[in-house]
């Protein structure tokens, strides 16, 4: 079973201050994206990594990320698009059918565990579509968008917060992206594109440490987690 990791890292980082997109900011002694890529480089189940980067940064990433840190599994760097969904689609189009399973993981989630990656792959081999997620710990309310008035308290026992990795058989995810493009559908994660085709998506329990680094506060938290990981 040939497994390819697809790492979207083409966001422009407009939510963090500084000249560089957040995925290239230093976390400890190396760029944030290099921490994420190391997890996939070291995972024995991953044969190849396809990295998606901001358009015009392919050369920089080849030199400063791939060569500097010795990511031998990265054979292709693909330019991203406007939305994350466009970036993933560009990468899927660059991948040939010699792939059986795709594991999609946000470049800005450096604390994913090797165990979560492997469990996602194992379950996706059996059932075709899997995401890592954690159970909601806070109470969850549905509210009116303008006045922010609570409409309903949702049953927390049924609410899980989606993370990445999200692993799919190659034909399933390829078809889901094709159909979303045809229908003009935008989802907030990859699974949403698969769910709408009526395909069952299973959950692998993830870890709360697998945070998505979005704001300067997240970066400070990431520095803390990194120190505790060592
Ligand atoms: O936008 P968000 O923070 O959810 O991004 C999640 C991941 O998707 C990040 O690693 C980001 O770099 C990537 N992304 C992308 N192309 C975009 C927007 C986001 O590859 N146009």
């Amino acid at each position: 079973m040939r497994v390819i990791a697809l790492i979207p890292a083409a966001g422009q980082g407009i939510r963090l201050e500084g000249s560089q997109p957040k995925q290239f900011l230093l976390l400890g002694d190396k760029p944030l994206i290099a921490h994420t890529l190391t997890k996939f480089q070291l995972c024995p189940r991953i044969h190849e990594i396809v990295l998606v980067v901001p358009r015009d940064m392919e050369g920089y990433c080849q030199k400063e990320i791939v060569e500097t840190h010795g990511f031998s599994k990265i054979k292709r760097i693909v330019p991203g698009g406007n939305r994350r969904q466009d970036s993933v689609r560009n990468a899927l189009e660059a991948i040939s059918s010699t792939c059986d399973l795709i594991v999609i993981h946000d470049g800005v989630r450096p604390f994913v565990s090797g165990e979560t990656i492997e469990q996602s792959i194992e379950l996706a081999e059996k059932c075709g579509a899997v995401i890592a997620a954690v159970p909601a710990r806070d109470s969850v309310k549905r509210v009116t968008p303008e006045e922010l008035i609570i409409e309903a308290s949702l049953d927390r026992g049924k609410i899980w917060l989606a993370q990445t990795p999200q692993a799919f058989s190659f034909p399933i995810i390829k078809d889901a992206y094709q159909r979303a493009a045809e229908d003009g559908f935008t989802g907030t994660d990859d699974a949403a594109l698969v769910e709408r085709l009526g395909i069952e998506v299973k959950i692998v329990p993830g870890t709360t440490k697998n945070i998505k680094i979005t704001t300067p506060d997240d970066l400070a938290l990431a520095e803390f987690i990194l120190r505790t990981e060592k």
Side-chain angles (χ1 to χ4, degrees):
M1 171 96 36
R2 187 170 168 76
V3 184
I4 295 186
L6 191 169
I7 311 291
Q12 293 299 327
I14 45 177
R15 282 167 289 176
L16 279 187
E17 285 174 25
S19 55
Q20 280 195 318
K22 60 193 168 187
Q23 58 274 34
F24 303 114
L25 296 177
L26 273 187
L27 175 59
D29 60 357
K30 58 185 179 189
L32 198 167
I33 184 68
H35 290 272
T36 309
L37 291 168
T38 298
K39 300 285 171 67
F40 288 85
Q41 174 74 29
L42 294 179
C43 177
R45 294 297 319 270
I46 301 288
H47 295 95
E48 184 185 333
I49 302 170
V50 177
L51 177 62
V52 194
V53 303
R55 205 166 276 281
D56 300 330
M57 285 191 76
E58 296 99 312
Y60 169 87
C61 290
Q62 176 62 34
K63 191 164 174 294
E64 301 298 330
I65 306 293
V66 179
E67 288 166 23
T68 301
H69 298 278
F71 292 125
S72 57
K73 289 185 182 173
I74 301 183
K75 305 273 192 284
R76 270 170 289 189
I77 295 182
V78 176
N82 289 337
R83 301 168 303 167
R84 180 188 183 280
Q85 193 169 316
D86 302 316
S87 297
V88 173
R89 182 147 196 256
N90 287 355
L92 287 173
E93 277 172 5
I95 295 170
S96 76
S97 54
T98 51
C99 162
D100 301 301
L101 207 86
I102 295 276
V103 184
I104 305 173
H105 183 72
D106 292 329
V108 291
R109 287 185 192 267
F111 300 115
V112 61
S113 71
E115 204 178 15
T116 301
I117 299 171
E118 294 199 17
Q119 285 172 351
S120 309
I121 293 170
E122 272 165 35
L123 193 56
E125 278 174 340
K126 294 191 192 107
C127 62
V130 169
I131 72 165
V134 287
R137 293 190 296 192
D138 296 317
S139 296
V140 183
K141 311 291 185 186
R142 194 179 67 230
V143 302
T144 61
E146 299 291 327
E147 306 94 326
L148 300 186
I149 295 168
I150 295 173
E151 284 181 339
S153 291
L154 306 185
D155 177 359
R156 188 173 60 181
K158 287 187 172 176
I159 305 288
W160 285 64
L161 308 177
Q163 303 178 331
T164 66
Q166 302 199 349
F168 308 94
S169 88
F170 186 59
I172 287 180
I173 194 67
K174 191 96 177 155
D175 186 38
Y177 266 82
Q178 177 69 38
R179 301 268 290 273
E182 284 165 11
D183 301 342
F185 174 83
T186 302
T188 54
D189 68 349
D190 309 291
L193 277 57
V194 172
E195 291 157 39
R196 66 188 285 273
L197 304 185
I199 293 170
E200 220 168 65
V201 182
K202 291 262 298 177
I203 280 182
V204 159
T207 65
T208 49
K209 208 168 76 170
N210 182 17
I211 58 168
K212 182 163 80 169
I213 294 168
T214 304
T215 66
D217 282 351
D218 297 333
L219 200 58
L221 178 60
E223 290 286 357
F224 175 77
I225 297 174
L226 186 69
R227 283 199 298 274
T228 62
E229 269 207 328
K230 280 178 182 160

